[in-house]
Amino acid sequence: MFPLHRGRRLRVNESIRSLVRETSLSPADFMFPMFIMEGENTKVEISSMPGIFRRTLDLTVEEVKELFALGIRAVNIYVKVSDDLKDNTGKEAWNDNGLMQRAIRAIKAACPEMIVMPDVALDPYSIYGHDGIIEKGDVANDATNDALVKMAVSHAKAGADFVAPSDMMDGRVLRLRQGLDAAGFHNVGIMSYSAKYASAFYGPFRDALDSAPKDADVEVPKDKKTYQMDYANRIEAVKEALWDVEEGADMVMVKPGIAYLDIVREVKNAVDVPVTVFHVSGEYAMIKAASERGWLDHDKIMMEQLMCIKRAGASLISTYFAKEAAILLNK
């Protein structure tokens, strides 16, 4: 039969393709994850994440200014905590003069319009590398929630726009909302890591913060599978996201990204709040490694993956490629 419908008519050239393109990217779609350390005028490249650095506060502020000039409007910040400040309570996490709190203040002072979303979890502060307080050989859910509330309120006092709980404790979004409201921070939002899977893609991130579970002289879980999600599950992700929305989350997150686009779409269809996707360290590292060997075209595969994440339903993409992608888009 003679084809009455020819899809190729809409693909003849780039001008036509751009007219009918269903999904677009801009620098404002990205959030840049940043690692911060103590010291001055120093940055240290993370060996498993080429091009990504731990920076001291002064250099972090300069980087944030560059990001904002490129059109990026949000940063997700993490701190490398000295071993002598780690314990099983995580109390350094709510030290009003701690590194995270000083970082929030410094960024907001230098670039007030940059949205700052500090990580809320105890693993950078834990001697055991877990996201919560260890009791009787496991992570204690409710005791950890009490600590997370103190942490989030401390972040809000420092000037955070959103808090970003990545711990996966049950009920923590409600506790955080109640705690923030009770402290007068009604306009500080919650971006909840709702569907965070127990993934092997996080390895380079744990290198950056020394936050992997550690051997200990007491019984501790050997991994994070008692609180992070089983990657075989799909319906559970929707359930977790809906629970977080009911508890007061302003945004929900799916993590990892490119390997979980089915989950992104499921969650997007189920909730009525923005969906954030974390294009995680292992996904970043694989592209870097393959492109360094000449197996992939770095910029093309980077932009394709980011576009696919947006197409799947992401309102915001937390990605280590944010700066590189923004530079390309601005060209």
Side-chain angles (χ1 to χ4, degrees):
M1 291 181 61
F2 184 82
L4 297 178
H5 300 287
R6 293 180 182 266
R8 291 182 60 186
R9 293 187 189 115
L10 300 180
R11 305 178 202 133
V12 169
N13 56 49
E14 177 56 25
S15 293
I16 293 175
R17 293 192 295 271
S18 69
L19 288 176
V20 299
R21 190 162 290 140
E22 300 172 28
T23 308
S24 61
L25 281 173
S26 81
D29 292 322
F30 305 138
M31 176 163 61
F32 191 48
M34 303 188 75
F35 301 114
I36 304 168
M37 65 181 186
E38 295 282 12
E40 292 184 9
N41 195 33
T42 303
K43 65 179 185 179
V44 177
E45 188 171 34
I46 299 157
S47 61
S48 53
M49 299 176 69
I52 300 298
F53 299 85
R54 287 191 294 267
R55 291 180 172 85
T56 53
L57 270 182
D58 50 348
L59 297 187
T60 297
V61 165
E62 293 307 310
E63 182 74 356
V64 167
K65 291 177 182 177
E66 289 186 31
L67 295 170
F68 194 83
L70 288 168
I72 294 167
R73 294 294 179 260
V75 291
N76 189 202
I77 58 175
Y78 304 84
V79 292
K80 175 72 169 66
V81 178
S82 172
D83 286 346
D84 62 352
L85 296 174
K86 297 181 181 182
D87 61 14
N88 187 36
T89 71
K91 64 181 182 295
E92 178 63 18
W94 54 90
N95 175 1
D96 286 342
N97 199 39
L99 180 56
M100 178 67 87
Q101 289 77 4
R102 285 181 280 126
I104 296 167
R105 290 194 293 267
I107 292 169
K108 294 301 290 185
C111 193
E113 293 181 64
M114 180 65 86
I115 302 302
V116 180
M117 301 192 190
D119 179 58
V120 175
L122 296 185
D123 49 331
Y125 303 89
S126 169
I127 53 174
Y128 303 122
H130 275 285
D131 289 43
I133 296 168
I134 300 295
E135 292 180 0
K136 299 178 181 178
D138 198 5
V139 174
N141 193 92
D142 296 354
T144 297
N145 281 343
D146 291 340
L148 297 177
V149 171
K150 296 176 188 177
M151 186 179 186
V153 169
S154 179
H155 292 174
K157 287 179 182 176
D161 299 284
F162 284 77
V163 294
S166 64
D167 56 285
M168 288 298 288
M169 297 299 111
D170 293 332
R172 92 277 208 208
V173 173
L174 178 59
R175 293 294 311 280
L176 290 174
R177 187 69 272 157
Q178 292 171 334
L180 289 166
D181 287 355
F185 296 109
H186 304 90
N187 288 330
V188 173
I190 299 173
M191 182 191 70
S192 176
Y193 288 57
S194 298
K196 180 179 180 180
Y197 285 85
S199 171
F201 282 108
Y202 306 151
F205 174 92
R206 291 174 181 168
D207 292 343
L209 292 183
D210 187 27
S211 61
K214 297 172 177 60
D215 294 331
D217 55 2
V218 298
E219 183 183 355
V220 297
K222 68 180 186 303
D223 54 38
K224 302 190 178 187
K225 292 181 179 180
T226 67
Y227 45 101
Q228 294 179 359
M229 286 178 49
D230 184 343
Y231 57 70
N233 293 354
R234 176 180 57 86
I235 295 171
E236 183 184 13
V238 176
K239 179 178 68 175
E240 291 278 358
L242 289 171
W243 281 350
D244 284 358
V245 173
E246 289 173 5
E247 291 181 15
D250 300 283
M251 291 188 268
V252 296
M253 177 184 277
V254 176
K255 180 182 180 182
I258 204 70
Y260 292 76
L261 296 187
D262 60 322
I263 307 301
V264 175
R265 175 44 57 183
E266 292 273 10
V267 170
K268 179 69 172 179
N269 288 343
V271 302
D272 56 3
V273 300
V275 177
T276 303
V277 176
F278 205 140
H279 192 215
V280 298
S281 60
E283 294 169 318
Y284 173 90
M286 289 193 301
I287 292 176
K288 290 293 183 182
S291 61
E292 284 175 1
R293 287 160 176 77
W295 298 340
L296 292 173
D297 183 306
H298 177 279
D299 290 352
K300 288 181 179 178
I301 199 71
M302 170 181 72
M303 298 307 293
E304 181 178 343
Q305 288 204 0
L306 294 172
M307 185 70 79
C308 290
I309 292 171
K310 179 82 181 290
R311 186 195 65 214
S315 301
L316 179 65
I317 305 170
S318 184
T319 175
Y320 300 97
F321 286 117
K323 186 175 183 180
E324 291 174 275
I327 290 169
L328 274 183
L329 289 167
N330 286 332
K331 288 180 179 178

